[in-house]
Amino acid sequence: MKLWGGRFAKATDALVEEFTASIAFDRRLYRQDIQGSIAHARMLVRQGILTPEEGEKIIAGLEEIEKEIEGSQFTFTAAREDIHMHIEARLQEKVGPVAGKLHTARSRNDQVATDLHLYVKEEAAAVMALIAGLQETILGLAERHLGVIMPGYTHLQRAQPILFSHHLLAYFEMLERDWQRFRDCRRRADSSPLGAGALAGTSFPIDRQFTASQLNFSSCYRNSIDAVSDRDFVLEFLAAAAILMQHLSRFCEELILWSSQEFAFIELDDAFATGSSIMPQKKNPDVPELIRGKTGRVYGNLIALLTTMKGLPLAYNKDLQEDKEPLFDTVDTIKNCLTIFAPLLASMEVKEENMARAAAEGFANATDAADYLAKKGLPFREAHRVVGNLVRYCLEEGKGLAELRLEEFRRFSLAFGPDIIEAIQTKNVVAARTSYGGTAPGQVERALQEGWALLAQKQGKPGP
Ligand code: ARG
């Protein structure tokens, strides 16, 4: 007999049972579901809707069920549809008809919304901690290799020399915004839908503020219809996850390029790389490739739920059951990616000389030769043209700018003086970019300090 079977003359078709059941995936919410039910039961007692004895029986039963599930002594079956029905049906078996009073002044609609809010809050905090851990790894790496120069790229062409640490710190900043996005998502999920009922509230004298505070929510949804039909908080989580993965994927793409023989800027640790079944020489960057690849499914999960939500009439519709799998899959995926990323980075070898050599080749100092002329009074456009001609000359001669003699420079412009030789040395080029947020060592050291301070501030704090 179904918990809602009273109105039905026939048993549910087995196909329908299978098709509508969510237990295969929503069993993951058992802890939040029991937590929500205990808070609800306490409130019902407090409001005189249940007797204290009834409340005690129900709560004790729920606590035992939690242990049964944790000890794998609990039977799951599609016939009981979802986690809410499973727990309530089991409660019936354990404490008898009084179990039926638990659902007073409640609907599965506000129940599932409550479970999911609790879940998103917990997982957002867990993800924030993992992001902070990865940020810490990045800061450590940037600190260890401070002073190492590499080419910075635009269009994947060597553009200007930069500090490797400066490049790494760009990812620190992206992750900082990701962390903030999860914090914001968590703040907005921090509102209790419990007590909204099926959609319209209830005629029982419930106390929503009490259940909210029992469950550590800092507020209640103001509108009962909104409370049961909104999944913005899940979408925000999925969107924050999609952006996070986009950042990880860009970083991974660079690790993959850098570990190719063509770049040879890094070498992944043997423990974090894989081999080929046919080519004995191969060392493949499978881990960063897989993170890059998994970005697709995380984007897909966001689009899936956005599409499910689009055009849904208020309030609850069974379509909403489709919110869970994309969320769970995204949670697992991003936690796995963040967890493996930190040791992957920490263990890789940085080939400092290769980076430095690449930075010294390829005219990465051409902008500085033009800047030199502009500082001597030439209009920048004119300076740009002069240095362009110089570069063409160098290409014909097979030389770099730094290898030219002063008289060669002066053939192209008399504004060149002896100090041009120093001005375009890679090290000096990097040191000259002292503008705020630039790549000069002083700026990068400041950014590192600020990074450590930010990290210290958030350590051990999942958010307000
Ligand atoms: N399993 C359902 C879900 O995940 C729970 C809510 C069911 N409510 C309903 N009115 N059928 O959405």
Side-chain angles (χ1 to χ4, degrees):
M1 183 67 170
K2 296 265 183 283
L3 289 173
W4 41 254
R7 180 237 181 271
F8 290 80
K10 271 189 177 177
T12 315
D13 192 286
L15 278 174
V16 174
E17 261 180 6
E18 274 298 329
F19 187 68
T20 56
S22 54
I23 189 61
F25 47 88
D26 69 10
R27 50 197 284 182
R28 194 191 276 233
L29 295 172
Y30 77 91
R31 214 165 23 81
Q32 291 82 0
D33 197 69
I34 288 172
Q35 227 183 314
S37 287
I38 290 177
H40 182 67
R42 288 216 176 99
M43 183 277 293
L44 292 177
V45 171
R46 204 160 168 267
Q47 299 300 103
I49 301 166
L50 291 188
T51 67
E53 300 71 50
E54 289 170 331
E56 266 160 42
K57 267 195 187 165
I58 287 172
I59 291 169
L62 288 168
E63 282 166 351
E64 282 173 34
I65 292 172
E66 183 166 4
K67 289 204 191 87
E68 288 177 6
I69 298 177
E70 256 145 31
S72 307
Q73 289 154 334
F74 191 94
T75 325
F76 293 100
T77 149
R80 284 184 176 172
E81 196 177 331
D82 58 24
I83 189 62
H84 326 293
M85 300 297 216
H86 272 76
I87 291 173
E88 194 180 323
R90 180 72 186 126
L91 192 63
Q92 294 266 11
E93 290 169 4
K94 292 179 84 77
V95 304
V98 66
K101 295 198 173 186
L102 172 62
H103 213 51
T104 312
R106 188 176 72 169
S107 155
R108 262 190 299 161
N109 300 347
D110 57 342
Q111 187 177 355
V112 72
T114 303
D115 295 2
L116 217 52
H117 278 76
L118 290 170
Y119 176 82
V120 164
K121 276 179 65 183
E122 276 178 39
E123 292 299 349
V127 169
M128 285 161 70
L130 288 172
I131 292 175
L134 182 55
Q135 285 183 296
E136 191 173 342
T137 303
I138 290 175
L139 288 184
L141 198 61
E143 199 163 70
R144 278 204 299 289
H145 298 285
L146 204 61
V148 175
I149 295 176
M150 68 180 276
Y153 295 83
T154 64
H155 312 270
L156 202 57
Q157 306 287 321
R158 286 175 192 159
Q160 294 177 347
I162 54 172
L163 288 189
F164 173 56
S165 303
H166 193 49
H167 194 99
L168 289 175
L169 289 177
Y171 286 106
F172 176 90
E173 297 293 343
M174 294 175 231
L175 288 168
E176 181 58 25
R177 291 190 296 276
D178 288 322
W179 186 89
Q180 290 172 10
R181 265 183 282 274
F182 281 100
R183 181 190 59 189
D184 293 346
C185 160
R186 190 174 180 280
R187 280 181 181 157
R188 261 183 301 278
D190 189 18
S191 186
S192 172
L194 192 57
L199 77 161
T202 173
S203 57
F204 287 95
I206 63 169
D207 183 346
R208 291 191 56 206
Q209 277 70 28
F210 177 78
T211 46
S213 76
Q214 287 281 300
L215 295 170
N216 287 321
F217 283 115
S218 55
S219 66
C220 288
Y221 270 80
R222 284 191 293 269
N223 181 299
S224 62
I225 300 172
D226 181 39
V228 291
S229 56
D230 135 59
R231 292 294 181 270
D232 305 9
F233 65 105
V234 180
L235 287 170
E236 280 195 52
F237 187 97
L238 296 179
I243 299 172
L244 165 70
M245 286 303 288
Q246 181 234 236
H247 292 152
L248 298 188
S249 179
R250 292 183 79 172
F251 203 165
C252 284
E253 170 68 12
E254 298 200 313
L255 296 180
I256 295 161
L257 281 173
W258 291 349
S259 59
S260 70
Q261 275 101 334
E262 282 68 16
F263 275 83
F265 285 0
I266 60 162
E267 183 171 340
L268 297 178
D269 192 78
D270 275 4
F272 282 88
T274 48
S276 157
S277 57
I278 170 166
M279 296 165 282
Q281 84 285 12
K282 291 294 291 291
K283 179 164 170 184
N284 293 331
D286 280 25
V287 173
E289 287 175 310
L290 212 41
I291 296 174
R292 186 178 61 181
K294 285 178 188 293
T295 305
R297 67 197 283 163
V298 173
Y299 286 6
N301 288 338
L302 169 63
I303 298 299
L305 186 59
L306 278 171
T307 311
T308 294
M309 296 305 293
K310 176 183 177 296
L312 267 195
L314 302 181
Y316 181 86
N317 300 274
K318 186 74 166 181
D319 312 46
L320 291 178
Q321 184 165 289
E322 288 291 306
D323 59 0
K324 289 171 201 64
E325 285 166 292
L327 174 62
F328 296 159
D329 183 68
T330 288
V331 164
D332 293 342
T333 305
I334 63 177
K335 285 168 87 176
N336 285 338
C337 291
L338 287 166
T339 302
I340 201 161
F341 211 127
L344 174 82
L345 274 184
S347 64
M348 76 187 186
E349 184 200 336
V350 177
K351 301 186 167 176
E352 303 187 346
E353 301 81 52
N354 291 355
M355 287 185 175
R357 196 176 321 120
E361 293 164 359
F363 304 102
N365 51 0
T367 312
D368 301 86
D371 284 351
Y372 173 93
L373 290 177
K375 284 172 193 160
K376 299 278 171 179
L378 260 73
F380 184 76
R381 278 293 152 235
E382 172 66 8
H384 187 289
R385 196 188 50 75
V386 169
V387 178
N389 291 340
L390 250 173
V391 167
R392 185 144 43 86
Y393 170 78
C394 286
L395 287 170
E396 284 160 11
E397 299 287 304
K399 292 181 182 170
L401 280 174
E403 295 162 55
L404 296 184
R405 282 166 292 117
L406 178 59
E407 63 260 34
E408 290 175 290
F409 277 107
R410 287 178 65 86
R411 251 182 259 162
F412 291 83
S413 169
L414 292 174
F416 282 120
D419 51 344
I420 180 62
I421 308 295
E422 275 301 301
I424 57 169
Q425 298 306 310
T426 311
K427 209 164 169 257
N428 297 336
V429 161
V430 171
R433 295 224 153 72
T434 53
S435 54
Y436 179 82
T439 197
Q443 286 295 325
V444 175
E445 273 160 40
R446 177 195 47 75
L448 250 179
Q449 295 313 314
E450 286 175 10
W452 286 120
L454 263 176
L455 215 52
Q457 224 175 8
K458 69 174 70 144
Q459 220 90 65
K461 287 186 218 152

